[in-house]
Amino acid sequence: MNSEPEPVSDLLDRLSEVVPDYPKPGISFKDLTPVFSDAAGLKRIVDEVVAPFAGEFDVIAGLEARGFVLAAAGAYATGTGMVTVRKAGKLPRAVFTEEYLLEYGTAALELHTDDVAPGARVLILDDVLATGGTVGSAVKLIERAGASVAGVGVILELEELGGRARLDPHRVHSLQRV
């Protein structure tokens, strides 16, 4: 009997579902929700995505929406707090706002101005790193709040889209590069 744990990349391939032609023809979408619904799978990916940053962060920021799942679970597992980085117009109090480019137009993310203490070390978690636009906006929000970015953790990294380079000099840890 093999006592070696299954490589996390294999776990992701086994549990996730690939949806062809979503969100548009020619795109294959890797759906992580089956990973989230598997107790052992969820625990494993959360443990793996936060482990490289152990002891280096005070709070975890989750990006809407799947990043919320990762950040809440990671915060619980590490005994830290969790903050939400939301799409524009979803937060009720004063916010910092950062716009980013989409394929056709712009979008924006927001963070309450008082959610992160100045000087806090923040780990940013999301499901996918593609072009770096969304995560890059979250980095700017955290820094505008007076905190520092301890690192960025993602489950999937779409390497050909170059998001990692756009986040330099911040450390990025991805569980699977595709």
Side-chain angles (χ1 to χ4, degrees), residues 41-124:
L42 177 62
K43 180 176 181 354
R44 177 79 184 283
I45 65 168
V46 168
D47 289 347
E48 295 261 351
V49 80
V50 300
F53 306 100
E56 300 175 11
F57 61 92
D58 307 305
V59 65
I60 299 177
L63 279 58
E64 190 162 339
R66 288 174 294 273
F68 294 169
V69 173
L70 298 167
Y76 181 82
T78 60
T80 59
M82 183 258 181
V83 297
T84 58
V85 176
R86 306 251 5 227
K87 294 176 183 173
K90 302 286 186 181
L91 294 173
R93 302 188 321 271
V95 295
F96 293 118
T97 303
E98 280 293 331
E99 287 191 350
Y100 60 97
L101 293 176
L102 296 171
E103 188 174 348
Y104 302 104
T106 61
L109 291 179
E110 294 181 333
L111 173 71
H112 280 130
T113 58
D114 59 355
D115 274 356
V116 179
R121 302 168 303 162
V122 181
L123 173 60
I124 297 172

Side-chain angles (χ1 to χ4, degrees), residues 107-174:
L109 291 179
E110 294 181 333
L111 173 71
H112 280 130
T113 58
D114 59 355
D115 274 356
V116 179
R121 302 168 303 162
V122 181
L123 173 60
I124 297 172
L125 295 183
D126 202 9
D127 62 333
V128 176
L129 174 60
T131 65
T134 307
V135 177
S137 290
V139 166
K140 291 177 185 172
L141 288 170
I142 298 303
E143 292 173 343
R144 283 180 62 196
S148 64
V149 174
V152 174
V154 297
I155 306 307
L156 301 176
E157 179 179 351
L158 307 179
E159 286 186 290
E160 69 183 32
L161 298 180
R164 180 181 291 262
R166 290 182 186 93
L167 298 175
D168 194 48
H170 299 289
R171 188 167 53 142
V172 177
H173 175 63
S174 58

